[in-house]
Amino acid sequence: MTNKKMLSEADICDRFITPAIIEAGWASNRWRREFGFTEGKIIVRGKLVARAKRKRVDYLLFHQPNLPIALIEAKDNNNSLGSGMQQALAYAEALDVPFVFSSNGDGFLFHDRTGTLPEIEQTLRLNQFPSPDMLWVLYKKWRGIEGSDEALITSPNYAEVGGKEPRYYQQLAINHTIEAVARGQRRILLAMATGTGKTYTVFNIIWRLWKNKTAKRVLFLADRNILVDQTIQNDFRPFGGVMKKLNRSLVDQHGRIDTSYEIYLGLYQAIMGGEGRESIYDKFPRDFFDLVVVDECHRGSAAEDSAWREVLAYFDSAIQLGMTATPKETKYVSNINYFGEPVYTYSLKQGIEDGFLAPYKVVRIDLDHDLLGWRPEAGQVDDAGQVIEDRIYNQRDYDRDIVFPERDRTVAQRISSFLHGTDPMNKAIVFCQSIDHAERMRQALVNVPENAPLVHADRRYVMRITGDNAEGKAQLDNFIDPKRPYPVIATTSKLMTTGVDAQTCHVIVLDQRIQSLTEFKQIVGRGTRLRPDYGKHYFTILDFRKATELFADPDWDGPPLQVYEVPEGDKDVAPPDPALDEEPIDEEIDIVLDDPDHVYDDAETDEADRHVYVVSGVKFTVLAERVQYYDRDGKLITESLKDYTRRTVQEQFSTLDEFLKRWKAADRKQAILDELLERGVLLDALEDATDGRFDPFDLICHVAFDQPALTRRERADDVRKRDVFARYGEQAREVLAALLDKYADQGNGSIGQIEVLKLEPFPRLGTPIELVRRFGGRDKYLAALRELDAALYESA
């Protein structure tokens, strides 16, 4: 009889767990082994970039290919039945899977997350694993979809050979929305961070509702033309001939609109009318659409007086789905009040943690007059000869009430220095205070001497892309296309804040005063897309205006909190003062007419008389600069690489003795290093700082516990001096000596596997089989490797 204790985890799966689930009725197309559902978080320290391990579930069980309902975490038989349960529950929470099992091959520990069974956890024999039908009945009860349209709930996503499949969180967003519709919910909100594929997600939602005939006619609304065009050309392409862009060309001379299509995509400004143009949305019957989807619904759609709400009110019989990266919650405007709580939320923090979104570094750059303010001398005049009002000017005034050309040049020089220190062809967006500021910044960047050869090579190296400039806007598609190198640097004000899919944007420059957390999230979202194929693993925020202090806001990446207050008995109430809404303005600003944060003089009431001072000759210098990293807990930290490593290692191992015991007991030292990598410790970066001469063991002991460090060469020489392998024959010692040389040159990871015997210099000594025979066989060779490993660290 097989001794289970001798079997590996894989053997336990093959011999006991897999047969048990097949016997319970789970066909091979209803479960997957080693199901990876994240990409592995990207960790950045200095110039080194690493990716943590993917999260994998040992078994994921499905009711349908797009509807997981159970998972199993397996362990070998040296572990207890439930030793994998806590890990399994963490995975189940992420995947929103209700039925969780842990097994060591003796049976199953079953954890019910639904609360539908008498006990939360119970032990099952191998032949008691639940059938698919049993778990499906419990699932429906848990989700409140008993008696709902089961054909809709179990309907498939759009599929094409070789096409992409939804990521786990996209599938959850799709399923939760479909189930909400099946339960009869009419207003639905999805909150997904910028860059997580909202449009692809909503395409599959529409596809399933359309195919099921729950929604025969659909209206998709966006507020940027580029969003509509990108959607038609990319994600919505499978709709083909039944899809049409909604504009005035569909209205005939008698004012009748073409109703022959099933999927309409529209720009809300184009269908609303105004300025002498007739609206076109109301040419459809009020009950024409079964589903209305509002993309980026944080941009005003929930405001009682917004144009979007007029359309939503007209088609109030339709199911209404809002898609947002940042649920809009102020005292007077609330997405949640209109749509209800999000049926699913996937945050920026989670996207970075899963490795689907790019992490970021923040470089805070403080200029002297930005921190200390600037006051004119008595009677000082500006460049136009006008006396400057005597008061202290600060960042709140810069590029609004007063302009300093030298400040523009200082900022432009620092941006350029950063790009040339990394890659001058890395695309960057510079967010400026106004259109005029964006133009001045364009000029300042063009005139930086380092940029001159690049500007001469292509005038589009620096472009102003703002709403008032046709030539700049014409270059927007080129900027967001990864395959097109120009433009490289785009200066803007508001136009590129949202809806611009700039996948290869490496640098976000903030030279704009940002007070709205909603707008700040959108701006940061311009950099969060990952494109490793173009060398983009992370992005950098250069902050000249302290805007990144908003990262400290408790609502930066937490769940949206509803603030909208509705008097008792009222369903919807118009805000008493729309001016208090902090929704960012989407149109380009020529001049700011009112700023509640600015204290105006009594004489400053007539805007026509308002003068913007331009003051040349005021020198600005960089007073302070610091780099901050996004740590494993989703917080920005200002810390050296050594300090971070020291703190994190000591959190894992409180004493040197605890670390030494663990290191010496570990068969695979790499397992310890992998654990530290998961916590953001990049030992490779520390190795680079020491010319790569030290073993990870010595780096950890030295940095975390202040122990003197030996180089790998010194450790190898110490083993030779002690003549540790005198009991081996001459031919075996020859192999061990070569292994020591290999360790001294390349480290422990290069000698732990038999495959190393295929590398130089070993082929000159013999084939791998011949070399292993020198030790008396494979087991004795591996024992010699363990002895070598122990000898290397014996001096510790």
Side-chain angles (χ1 to χ4, degrees):
M1 185 175 177
T2 304
N3 182 357
K4 284 186 181 179
K5 303 293 183 187
M6 301 297 292
L7 298 178
S8 67
E9 181 182 303
D11 291 333
I12 292 291
C13 290
D14 292 338
R15 297 193 188 189
F16 300 99
I17 299 176
T18 296
I21 63 176
I22 291 174
E23 191 174 333
W26 295 87
S28 59
N29 63 345
R30 299 185 76 166
W31 54 271
R32 288 172 65 177
R33 280 273 298 270
E34 290 294 313
F35 182 84
F37 63 95
T38 71
E39 287 297 313
K41 179 181 177 180
I42 289 179
I43 303 164
V44 181
R45 294 290 181 272
K47 293 183 179 179
L48 192 134
V49 180
R51 200 186 262 282
K53 283 186 175 180
R54 299 180 72 191
K55 292 180 180 177
R56 294 181 184 273
V57 178
D58 289 331
Y59 290 82
L60 190 62
L61 284 64
F62 299 83
H63 177 70
Q64 292 293 331
N66 55 11
L67 188 54
I69 61 172
L71 64 82
I72 305 170
E73 185 62 29
K75 298 294 180 185
D76 65 37
N77 201 250
N78 294 296
N79 291 279
S80 66
L81 192 68
S83 64
M85 182 53 75
Q86 291 192 132
Q87 182 182 353
L89 287 171
Y91 291 159
E93 189 173 316
L95 293 167
D96 200 20
V97 167
F99 308 115
V100 190
F101 299 84
S102 172
S103 178
N104 64 354
D106 290 339
F108 297 95
L109 182 64
F110 175 24
H111 184 107
D112 170 37
R113 297 180 65 231
T114 69
T116 56
L117 295 174
E119 291 183 303
I120 294 176
E121 288 192 352
Q122 54 183 299
T123 301
L124 306 176
R125 296 191 303 273
L126 284 172
N127 63 1
Q128 288 181 310
F129 194 84
S131 69
D133 290 341
M134 174 189 167
L135 293 187
W136 178 239
V137 169
L138 294 174
Y139 178 90
K140 288 192 292 183
K141 185 177 179 181
W142 173 58
R143 297 295 295 169
I145 53 177
E146 293 172 298
S148 300
D149 185 350
E150 193 161 324
L152 172 61
I153 294 166
T154 60
S155 61
N157 299 324
Y158 172 79
E160 62 179 340
V161 177
K164 62 181 178 180
E165 294 183 359
R167 295 168 175 169
Y168 85 90
Y169 64 86
Q170 293 170 335
Q171 191 62 67
L172 284 172
I174 295 165
N175 290 349
H176 282 229
T177 304
I178 294 295
E179 288 177 8
V181 172
R183 286 193 299 266
Q185 192 170 325
R186 307 299 291 177
R187 292 181 183 177
I188 301 165
L189 182 64
L190 275 180
M192 295 172 66
T194 300
T196 55
K198 291 192 297 293
T199 310
Y200 173 69
T201 301
V202 81
F203 159 71
N204 271 294
I205 292 168
I206 296 172
W207 179 268
R208 288 173 64 173
L209 292 172
W210 178 67
K211 277 290 190 180
N212 182 260
K213 301 192 185 304
T214 300
K216 297 177 182 177
R217 297 189 183 94
V218 179
L219 174 62
F220 177 91
L221 287 173
D223 72 343
R224 294 284 167 84
N225 207 44
I226 191 169
L227 286 175
V228 175
D229 293 340
Q230 284 177 347
T231 300
I232 291 172
Q233 294 164 13
N234 300 323
D235 289 321
F236 279 37
R237 179 177 42 81
F239 285 122
V242 305
M243 173 175 59
K244 190 69 175 177
K245 185 174 182 179
L246 180 57
N247 53 40
R248 296 183 188 281
S249 67
L250 295 183
V251 181
D252 65 19
Q253 58 185 352
H254 303 294
R256 292 174 302 205
I257 196 160
D258 187 345
T259 59
S260 62
Y261 298 95
E262 297 175 46
I263 312 292
Y264 291 82
L265 295 92
L267 186 68
Y268 86 89
Q269 297 96 323
I271 69 172
M272 284 303 303
E275 297 184 0
R277 293 176 302 168
E278 191 179 9
S279 62
I280 59 173
Y281 74 91
D282 51 4
K283 296 188 182 301
F284 290 103
R286 296 179 74 97
D287 60 354
F288 183 79
F289 291 109
D290 305 301
L291 173 67
V292 177
V293 178
V294 182
D295 192 24
E296 306 287 4
C297 71
H298 55 273
R299 294 208 287 271
S301 62
E304 184 72 33
D305 62 341
S306 73
W308 298 77
R309 282 290 289 272
E310 192 175 322
V311 179
L312 294 176
Y314 184 80
F315 297 116
D316 63 348
S317 65
I319 299 164
Q320 296 179 354
L321 170 62
M323 301 284 291
T324 183
T326 51
K328 179 63 181 172
E329 296 303 319
T330 70
K331 185 174 182 180
Y332 298 106
V333 178
S334 170
N335 292 117
I336 290 175
N337 180 263
Y338 183 81
F339 288 105
E341 291 287 342
V343 295
Y344 184 72
T345 298
Y346 190 73
S347 66
L348 173 66
K349 177 181 176 180
Q350 192 61 52
I352 292 173
E353 185 66 32
D354 288 343
F356 295 119
L357 294 180
Y360 48 85
K361 287 197 282 187
V362 174
V363 181
R364 275 280 303 274
I365 303 161
D366 296 324
L367 306 182
D368 50 359
H369 292 303
D370 286 15
L371 290 182
L372 306 173
W374 178 82
R375 184 175 181 178
E377 297 176 3
Q380 183 174 350
V381 297
D382 68 0
D383 292 3
Q386 183 157 332
V387 176
I388 304 169
E389 180 190 352
D390 183 17
R391 64 181 178 89
I392 295 175
Y393 294 86
N394 55 36
Q395 278 193 335
R396 189 174 289 186
D397 306 295
Y398 297 166
D399 303 302
R400 182 190 182 281
D401 296 331
I402 192 165
V403 169
F404 297 104
E406 275 73 12
R407 186 185 184 283
D408 295 339
R409 285 193 276 274
T410 301
V411 171
Q413 180 62 59
R414 185 63 193 89
I415 295 169
S416 303
S417 297
F418 180 84
L419 286 173
H420 285 267
T422 49
D423 184 345
M425 295 304 291
N426 278 346
K427 292 188 177 182
I429 305 175
V430 184
F431 287 96
C432 302
Q433 193 71 16
S434 64
I435 290 175
D436 176 66
H437 185 205
E439 172 55 27
R440 286 187 283 106
M441 190 54 65
R442 184 198 66 79
Q443 295 174 27
L445 286 161
V446 164
N447 287 324
V448 172
E450 291 170 281
N451 295 336
L454 297 163
V455 175
H456 287 311
D458 194 305
R459 64 176 179 81
R460 297 172 301 164
Y461 182 72
V462 185
M463 292 288 293
R464 171 167 63 92
I465 301 179
T466 52
D468 70 322
N469 184 266
E471 185 172 10
K473 282 199 294 185
Q475 291 296 324
L476 184 55
D477 283 347
N478 290 331
F479 182 81
I480 65 179
D481 187 342
K483 296 177 183 177
R484 298 182 183 179
Y486 297 98
V488 176
I489 305 174
T491 67
T492 190
S493 173
K494 295 285 183 181
L495 183 67
M496 299 177 72
T497 302
T498 55
V500 176
D501 190 11
Q503 298 178 16
T504 52
C505 178
H506 284 75
V507 182
I508 300 288
V509 180
L510 303 178
D511 198 22
Q512 178 186 110
R513 190 163 179 268
I514 304 167
Q515 296 296 291
S516 163
L517 188 60
T518 300
E519 184 177 15
F520 180 62
K521 284 186 178 184
Q522 287 297 307
I523 288 174
V524 171
R526 299 311 101 209
T528 55
R529 286 161 176 81
L530 274 171
R531 284 305 297 262
D533 50 334
Y534 285 90
K536 184 188 171 185
H537 300 94
Y538 67 96
F539 68 104
T540 303
I541 301 171
L542 301 183
D543 180 17
F544 291 90
R545 300 270 182 163
K546 298 184 181 178
T548 52
E549 289 179 352
L550 286 167
F551 281 128
D553 191 304
D555 288 338
W556 157 244
D557 199 36
L561 299 176
Q562 184 172 4
V563 187
Y564 190 105
E565 298 170 2
V566 182
E568 191 172 343
D570 288 348
K571 290 174 68 179
D572 284 331
V573 178
D577 182 2
L580 291 175
D581 175 20
E582 294 177 357
E583 182 68 32
I585 301 165
D586 289 321
E587 303 301 319
E588 289 292 342
I589 301 172
D590 182 44
I591 187 169
V592 177
L593 299 177
D594 185 37
D595 180 357
D597 291 318
H598 181 74
V599 179
Y600 290 98
D601 212 291
D602 288 339
E604 197 184 344
T605 54
D606 186 357
E607 289 293 343
D609 295 333
R610 190 165 166 273
H611 177 77
V612 177
Y613 303 112
V614 178
V615 186
S616 299
V618 179
K619 185 179 179 182
F620 279 71
T621 57
V622 175
L623 198 64
E625 182 171 322
R626 64 181 183 271
V627 178
Q628 298 175 301
Y629 295 94
Y630 191 88
D631 78 352
R632 70 178 188 277
D633 297 318
K635 303 296 183 185
L636 279 173
I637 55 168
T638 306
E639 199 169 22
S640 73
L641 183 60
K642 282 189 176 181
D643 289 344
Y644 181 81
T645 302
R646 181 187 185 92
R647 178 171 61 83
T648 307
V649 170
Q650 289 182 356
E651 287 174 1
Q652 188 86 340
F653 307 101
S654 57
T655 65
L656 173 63
D657 188 53
E658 184 182 341
F659 170 70
L660 292 177
K661 285 180 180 177
R662 175 78 186 282
W663 183 268
K664 290 179 178 180
D667 287 335
R668 285 185 63 254
K669 311 301 189 211
Q670 189 61 41
I672 297 175
L673 303 182
D674 287 344
E675 283 181 29
L676 292 173
L677 176 61
E678 289 282 346
R679 298 172 67 84
V681 174
L682 297 189
L683 292 170
D684 289 347
L686 282 174
E687 276 192 71
D688 289 346
T690 57
D691 301 323
R693 296 178 297 125
F694 294 97
D695 190 291
F697 171 84
D698 283 284
L699 287 172
I700 294 169
C701 290
H702 177 63
V703 172
F705 302 108
D706 298 317
Q707 298 300 302
L710 296 177
T711 66
R712 290 194 301 271
R713 181 66 62 186
E714 288 171 332
R715 286 199 173 278
D717 290 345
D718 183 62
V719 171
R720 289 190 181 94
K721 288 175 187 174
R722 287 185 280 128
D723 200 17
V724 172
F725 302 114
R727 65 186 181 84
Y728 288 94
E730 183 179 343
Q731 287 188 322
R733 288 202 304 273
E734 184 181 28
V735 176
L736 291 169
L739 286 169
L740 273 175
D741 288 335
K742 201 77 172 170
Y743 163 80
D745 290 337
Q746 298 177 14
N748 203 320
S750 63
I751 65 171
Q753 304 294 328
I754 287 181
E755 285 72 19
V756 71
L757 299 178
K758 298 177 183 178
L759 306 176
E760 287 294 335
F762 298 102
R764 282 181 272 150
L765 304 179
T767 66
I769 292 176
E770 291 170 343
L771 297 180
V772 167
R773 282 176 181 162
R774 294 185 183 188
F775 293 84
R778 177 189 174 91
D779 290 343
K780 290 184 178 180
Y781 171 76
L782 292 175
L785 283 185
R786 287 192 290 273
E787 189 178 348
L788 172 60
D789 184 79
L792 283 169
Y793 301 110
E794 188 175 319
S795 60

